[in-house]
Amino acid sequence: MQHLPRIMLAAPSSGSGKTMITCGILEAFCRRGLNPASFKCGPDYIDPMFHSRVIGTPSRNLDTFFTESPLTRYLFAKTAKNAGISVLEGVMGFYDGLGGISEKASSYDLAAVTDTPVILVVNARGMSLSVIPLIQGYLNYQEQYGREVIRGVILNQTTKMTCLLLKEEIEKQTGVRVYGYVPRMDDAAVESRHLGLVTPGEIADLKVRLARLGEELEQCLDLDGIIALAQEASDFADEELALPECVRAYAENQKSSGIIAESDEETSHMDGIVFQKKHDARSEYSAPRIAVAQDEAFCFYYQDNLDLMELLGATLVPFSPLKDTALPEQISGLILGGGYPELYARQLSENRSMLQSIRAAIADGLPYLAECGGFMYLHETMEDMEGTAWPMCGCIQGKSYRTKKLGRFGYISLSLSTADCREKQEQMDSNEDMRIKTQSVPGFLYSGETIRAHEFHYFDSTDPGSAYVAEKPNGKRTWNCTHVTDHSAAGYPHLYYWSNPEFAVRFLHSAKAYSGNVG
């Protein structure tokens, strides 16, 4: 059995202060030498960046829509086993899940799946005794789902006097423990924009703010009690930490062939994202080298997606479309993630040598994945926040333009749509030798397969693609999206590779074929 101490900080709604309180608690745990790990519930990129700035190692996402319970537990445990304590931050309101009418994929669902004790962060500003029926309502509501996971509360934006006044009454009437309060701290607040909080790299005094926050929480929270609660979390069975069957065969094949080197590793950290630079003594470029756009404009990545690529044999090579003049040398694949390219449209457009480098590489057949901001960057033109159109890579015919509202927001499942892709697939399915040899699959998906994803963007395209069909979880809405070939996929959806690891396998096989390394 594996003992993995853990807690979740959740809240009745967004804007309750859970992100900064999570960061403050992580800071306090670091000061105590507890070596914490952090996780974010749901498809969020920015909150984990803040976690990572505190703990110095990447924060990861856990999402029960993207992965079934056993895989979710594995993804948690593989990181938590190396930490002294784990802190999970919830998303939105505690019970807010799929379609707004289900607890599935909510913070509650993740807490239940991982059997994690929950501390509810309640914004008590302007309240006193009224917090009790609010807390009691959340406690009562969980009973219908069969798992009672809320174990305590933190009163946010209130005073020491109010907390002392209410603590005994809350504990007596609700049966849960009050772990303290957090006063209003304007100097710890973080600004927001159209996709959420600003990124950590844009806050010049972030370290000072986080240090101040950690110091304050040491004084106003019962950290010893929170640590004791985390220790009460149930153990994981040893087999739950074993590499899942869905990737084991591929990973073992890469190790046996020498693609994954057992020896020398060098770690590179970039704004919360970690790249392992593997050195194989037999050949400097024996593993497929995948260039990954990583800078202020392109910073939205799931760490577990990158980890999976490396597990399957890739060497990830970070580069900056903003600052570098060309793609890295001797690469066999390219990943353009999401981010805020619209905020840097002029700089991206004026870096003409990089645009030409990417344009030439894609024309040469370089396998690539591009999502959301990376997809926008590949267009002929992209608008900035003021509506000015700037020339971009020109690999997608059309323009990316700003809209006034979120487009196609939320969770989706992607499957192949177009008739020509299906026809090509059927030809390959009928020829097993060809299928095994090339792994050349339109959009890296076979007929009947899906990969899970989400969309969240205020921009759209005159040509969003049509090769995938995107379906909402309730099945009541579908639309076409994404441009694909047998070696690329580019569209607005943000993909979660662990929901279909073979997608990543096929991409890397395409990359190895491009570099001539397929046996």
Side-chain angles (χ1 to χ4, degrees):
M1 302 295 285
Q2 296 283 332
H3 185 53
L4 306 174
R6 58 196 181 274
I7 57 163
M8 175 184 285
L9 297 171
S13 68
S14 296
S16 297
K18 56 183 179 290
T19 297
M20 296 317 293
I21 291 176
T22 297
C23 287
I25 289 177
L26 288 169
E27 173 76 14
F29 285 170
C30 286
R31 288 167 179 250
R32 293 187 175 203
L34 295 179
N35 184 32
S38 64
F39 302 84
K40 175 67 181 181
C41 175
D44 187 298
Y45 294 107
I46 299 176
D47 289 356
M49 292 183 195
F50 281 91
H51 299 177
S52 298
R53 283 299 181 97
V54 177
I55 64 177
T57 58
S59 178
R60 288 169 166 80
N61 298 73
L62 297 171
D63 193 304
T64 53
F65 171 73
F66 288 154
T67 54
E68 299 298 327
S69 297
L71 186 50
T72 302
R73 287 176 63 86
Y74 164 76
L75 291 171
F76 166 74
K78 76 179 179 68
T79 295
K81 68 180 180 181
N82 299 315
I85 189 171
S86 294
V87 180
L88 290 68
E89 182 191 343
V91 62
M92 300 177 63
F94 186 50
Y95 297 105
D96 297 339
L98 295 182
I101 57 171
S102 169
E103 90 291 351
K104 178 63 178 174
S106 67
S107 302
Y108 169 84
D109 192 34
L110 179 62
V113 165
T114 57
D115 198 18
T116 299
V118 175
I119 298 175
L120 198 66
V121 176
V122 178
N123 187 341
R125 186 180 184 189
M127 301 174 70
S128 57
L129 196 64
S130 296
V131 301
I132 295 179
L134 187 155
I135 296 167
Q136 192 65 62
Y138 275 80
L139 293 171
N140 293 341
Y141 197 78
Q142 67 185 342
E143 294 176 1
Q144 66 180 302
Y145 299 122
R147 298 291 296 273
E148 298 182 15
V149 294
I150 300 174
R151 300 286 302 279
V153 297
I154 290 172
L155 304 181
N156 190 27
Q157 297 211 52
T158 191
T159 64
K160 181 178 181 179
M161 181 179 296
T162 300
C163 182
L164 291 174
L165 184 68
L166 292 174
K167 184 178 188 298
E168 182 178 353
E169 201 65 26
I170 291 172
E171 293 180 342
K172 181 174 70 175
Q173 293 196 39
T174 68
V176 298
R177 184 167 174 176
V178 177
Y179 285 96
Y181 72 100
V182 178
R184 182 176 176 85
M185 296 180 64
D186 292 333
D187 57 347
V190 176
E191 297 177 2
S192 297
R193 61 159 68 97
H194 59 294
L195 295 184
L197 298 175
V198 298
T199 60
E202 299 173 79
I203 305 173
D205 62 343
L206 180 61
K207 287 187 176 181
V208 174
R209 295 192 197 190
L210 291 174
R212 165 84 174 87
L213 185 60
E215 290 171 0
E216 185 68 32
L217 297 197
E218 280 278 9
Q219 302 301 315
C220 60
L221 294 183
D222 177 10
L223 291 176
D224 291 335
I226 292 173
I227 293 168
L229 177 62
Q231 292 288 346
E232 295 178 17
S234 62
D235 293 343
F236 273 57
D238 291 333
E239 54 266 27
E240 292 187 278
L241 279 71
L243 192 63
E245 188 63 35
C246 60
V247 298
R248 186 180 305 153
Y250 299 111
E252 289 175 352
N253 179 61
Q254 298 306 310
K255 280 189 177 181
S256 65
S257 64
I259 297 299
I260 297 180
E262 298 283 359
S263 55
D264 194 14
E265 287 191 357
E266 177 185 341
T267 301
S268 170
H269 295 258
M270 296 188 70
D271 205 6
I273 302 299
V274 169
F275 301 88
Q276 299 294 336
K277 300 180 180 178
K278 298 180 175 65
H279 303 291
D280 187 334
R282 298 189 313 165
S283 172
E284 185 177 359
Y285 299 112
S286 62
R289 287 168 50 86
I290 309 299
V292 182
Q294 177 64 38
D295 58 20
E296 297 90 333
F298 302 97
C299 51
F300 289 0
Y301 294 96
Y302 295 123
Q303 182 65 44
D304 280 325
N305 274 357
L306 301 178
D307 289 350
L308 179 59
M309 287 288 187
E310 292 181 325
L311 178 67
L312 295 172
T315 294
L316 303 183
V317 186
F319 76 101
S320 171
L322 277 171
K323 301 168 186 174
D324 294 335
T325 58
L327 287 170
E329 295 181 356
Q330 294 184 268
I331 59 170
S332 51
L334 170 65
I335 298 177
L336 297 168
Y340 288 115
E342 63 271 24
L343 301 181
Y344 303 92
R346 179 173 180 172
Q347 296 97 309
L348 289 168
S349 183
E350 290 179 347
N351 190 353
R352 295 181 180 86
S353 62
M354 176 59 77
L355 295 177
Q356 176 56 32
S357 178
I358 293 175
R359 189 183 305 119
I362 288 178
D364 187 53
L366 180 74
Y368 66 94
L369 299 173
E371 54 187 47
C372 206
F375 172 59
M376 292 161 58
Y377 179 57
L378 292 181
H379 282 67
E380 291 177 302
T381 63
M382 179 180 70
E383 288 185 357
D384 60 18
M385 293 298 291
E386 285 70 46
T388 302
W390 296 90
M392 293 292 157
C393 292
C395 302
I396 301 294
Q397 301 303 303
K399 67 178 181 180
S400 175
Y401 59 93
R402 188 185 181 194
T403 66
K404 295 182 179 180
K405 61 181 181 179
L406 278 173
R408 303 183 295 279
F409 165 71
Y411 289 120
I412 51 176
S413 294
L414 299 173
S415 58
L416 275 174
S417 171
T418 58
D420 56 330
C421 286
R422 291 186 186 279
E423 180 180 355
K424 186 171 182 180
Q425 266 192 301
E426 289 168 1
Q427 293 172 355
M428 297 185 66
D429 288 343
S430 65
N431 186 338
E432 188 67 16
D433 290 338
M434 179 182 178
R435 175 177 171 179
I436 292 173
K437 181 178 180 181
T438 66
Q439 291 285 306
S440 181
V441 183
F444 311 113
L445 290 176
Y446 280 109
S447 179
E449 287 185 343
T450 62
I451 187 168
R452 294 191 169 186
H454 85 282
E455 291 197 35
F456 188 90
H457 51 90
Y458 283 87
F459 281 68
D460 211 331
S461 169
T462 56
D463 186 7
S466 59
Y468 289 158
V469 59
E471 182 176 4
K472 297 291 286 182
N474 60 15
K476 293 182 179 179
R477 186 186 174 201
T478 63
W479 62 87
N480 290 85
C481 63
T482 308
H483 295 261
V484 310
T485 68
D486 61 1
H487 61 274
S488 67
Y492 272 110
H494 293 280
L495 311 180
Y496 193 76
Y497 304 156
W498 279 95
S499 68
N500 185 348
E502 288 201 19
F503 179 95
V505 169
R506 292 169 190 148
F507 170 71
L508 292 180
H509 205 281
S510 180
K512 286 188 282 186
Y514 176 82
S515 62
N517 286 336
V518 173

